[in-house]
Amino acid sequence: MARNDYLFTSESVSEGHPDKICDMISDAVVDEFLSRDPNARVACETLTTTNLIVLAGEVRGDVPRERIEELARDTVRKIGYEQEGFHHAKAEVIIRLHAQSADIAKGVDALGNKDIGAGDQGIMFGYACRETDVLMPAPLVYAHRILKAMSDARHAGREPGLGPDAKSQVTLRYVNGKPVQATSIVVSTQHVEGMTQSDVKKIVRPYVEAVLPKGWMCPEDEFYVNPTGSFVIGGPDGDAGLTGRKIIVDTYGGAAPHGGGAFSGKDPTKVDRSAAYAARHMAKNVVAAGLAERCTIQLAYAIGVSKPLAIYVNTHGTGAVDEARLEKVIAQVADFSPRGIRDRLGLARPIYARTASYGHFGRTPEADGGFSWEKTDLVEDLKAALS
């Protein structure tokens, strides 16, 4: 039996977190390749540590190494790193990108009667629920929004005492399955030398209170800001970063399953990314159509094979339609092959760097095709197929 009363926690990290720096650099590389060739192939991993940036992986396309280095430095500059231990102009940049494996390429490429195949085997999940206006789990949404508000203020020059590196954590109380209040909030943020813990807490508090619904603020003794007392040394100088280490932050904050594959640094032939977007797109449309209060969708693929091996739907006891029937209907409404996903969502475009911080889901669809998987454009198709 499902629990109705409980506490649930999710975390977020800012764009200045070491792992997020890496995600943003890797996705900037993806965007550059796709801007030159929509059929480019990219699997770019980034590592950062004290004044060092390393890019490695496999690509198919033509981008000069000088341009890749420029992208890495420009990403770090925009985030705001001009610190002694990590500086956009002073860090060493090492690039080890080489040609994509011919064995992988022949499995993915469309040849003769063969359609585009999945870039890897694996399972991908999509999820949606009615906890927030963006049909996402509430703890993660508020964790993201707290850091985004602080980041916007820092970039606008309103909070010069804050640094780029930050983390948040939100614990909410659920009653009858619905979030009703925060029971604890944790925010750790890098700051300039000389600021006290109390100084930082005074800066952070208004952003937390502005993001949470009225009356949801946690008790004062459960509001933790920089619990270690000081956070001057941050970013890759304080902790090494790697692409793909924040996959739960990127998705549903632990409220839904994850297939295990990271998104950033990958072109849309990699179903780790594109199929996870397609699963979210469909789950969101199922909930938006009123077919369920919560919906989880799983897709499974084999490398080189275009059709999904399986489609699974779970509406967690909230569905208005039999789940087995819904599985058949969503396969009729949408093409879940790599080509079908790419074409339906317009994924062969440079739209990825913006996804790398503050979540790939729960965002606003943009005019140039960014976050297309957040549209609720299949609602009427689902209703018609079920009528």
Side-chain angles (χ1 to χ4, degrees):
M1 181 180 294
R3 293 180 64 191
N4 289 320
D5 301 338
Y6 53 91
L7 303 181
F8 195 82
T9 306
S10 295
E11 72 160 351
S12 180
V13 298
S14 72
E15 78 270 24
H17 184 279
D19 296 331
K20 278 291 135 198
I21 298 169
C22 295
D23 287 344
M24 293 180 72
I25 292 172
S26 291
D27 273 340
V29 172
V30 172
D31 281 354
E32 184 69 18
F33 273 86
L34 290 176
S35 70
R36 295 168 182 246
D37 178 5
N39 295 310
R41 301 283 186 264
V42 186
C44 177
E45 313 290 344
T46 303
L47 174 148
T48 56
T49 186
T50 303
N51 273 331
L52 177 65
I53 303 168
V54 180
L55 296 88
E58 303 78 45
V59 298
R60 188 174 73 187
D62 185 18
V63 177
R65 287 178 177 266
E66 294 80 7
R67 176 55 180 157
I68 293 172
E69 179 176 340
E70 181 184 11
L71 288 168
R73 294 189 185 280
D74 194 48
T75 298
V76 173
R77 180 188 62 79
K78 289 178 179 177
I79 292 170
Y81 275 105
E82 295 184 342
Q83 300 169 5
E84 182 178 352
F86 195 69
H87 194 294
H88 62 88
K90 298 176 182 179
E92 180 184 5
V93 178
I94 298 173
I95 300 170
R96 295 291 185 268
L97 297 172
H98 59 83
Q100 183 187 48
S101 161
D103 289 341
I104 294 176
K106 71 182 181 182
V108 175
D109 291 343
L111 298 171
N113 294 325
K114 176 186 173 298
D115 198 0
I116 295 173
D120 202 350
Q121 72 176 52
I123 55 174
M124 299 83 209
F125 287 92
Y127 178 75
C129 63
R130 289 204 170 274
E131 292 181 15
T132 59
D133 58 339
V134 291
L135 303 186
M136 286 283 289
L140 180 66
V141 167
Y142 299 133
H144 281 325
R145 289 178 179 175
I146 289 167
L147 293 188
K148 184 64 167 61
M150 291 168 55
S151 174
D152 289 346
R154 177 176 65 84
H155 284 294
R158 297 195 301 273
E159 300 294 355
L162 299 184
D165 193 358
K167 299 180 75 172
S168 64
Q169 185 171 289
V170 174
T171 300
L172 298 185
R173 183 183 304 281
Y174 283 70
V175 176
N176 293 323
K178 306 291 185 183
V180 297
Q181 183 186 17
T183 61
S184 66
I185 304 287
V186 184
V187 179
S188 296
T189 179
Q190 189 180 16
H191 58 85
V192 298
E193 189 80 55
M195 293 183 70
T196 67
Q197 185 182 33
S198 177
D199 294 334
V200 178
K201 194 170 188 176
K202 288 178 183 177
I203 291 173
V204 169
R205 184 188 301 276
Y207 297 101
V208 175
E209 292 177 340
V211 163
L212 292 175
K214 187 176 181 180
W216 278 39
M217 186 63 181
C218 65
E220 184 61 26
D221 62 354
E222 293 293 333
F223 180 38
Y224 303 95
V225 175
N226 286 2
T228 63
S230 180
F231 188 1
V232 174
I233 300 171
D237 189 32
D239 190 9
L242 287 170
T243 300
R245 281 206 299 199
K246 288 292 175 284
I247 58 177
I248 300 303
V249 171
D250 287 343
T251 52
Y252 306 103
H258 195 294
F263 301 161
S264 290
K266 298 175 181 178
D267 73 77
T269 67
K270 280 70 170 176
V271 285
D272 277 341
R273 178 170 225 158
S274 56
Y277 290 174
R280 160 64 179 173
H281 182 225
M282 185 57 73
K284 185 175 183 181
N285 276 268
V286 167
V287 172
L291 304 177
E293 292 291 305
R294 295 171 58 203
C295 181
T296 298
I297 294 177
Q298 184 201 58
L299 303 173
Y301 293 86
I303 188 168
V305 178
S306 61
K307 68 178 181 66
L309 306 184
I311 299 174
Y312 164 80
V313 175
N314 185 352
T315 55
H316 308 277
T318 70
V321 179
D322 177 73
E323 289 157 331
R325 185 182 178 205
L326 197 53
E327 288 168 355
K328 294 178 181 178
V329 165
I330 66 172
Q332 296 168 3
V333 168
D335 180 355
F336 288 102
S337 70
R339 183 192 297 275
I341 295 170
R342 184 194 68 180
D343 292 350
R344 182 172 74 257
L345 298 179
L347 299 182
R349 291 182 281 188
I351 56 173
Y352 296 106
R354 70 194 77 169
T355 69
S357 53
Y358 308 110
H360 293 246
F361 307 131
R363 309 286 289 274
T364 302
E366 298 177 347
D368 67 350
F371 302 103
S372 59
W373 48 92
E374 290 298 308
K375 293 181 179 180
T376 52
D377 53 347
L378 298 180
V379 166
E380 296 307 317
D381 292 341
L382 285 167
K383 290 179 178 179
L386 287 164
S387 65

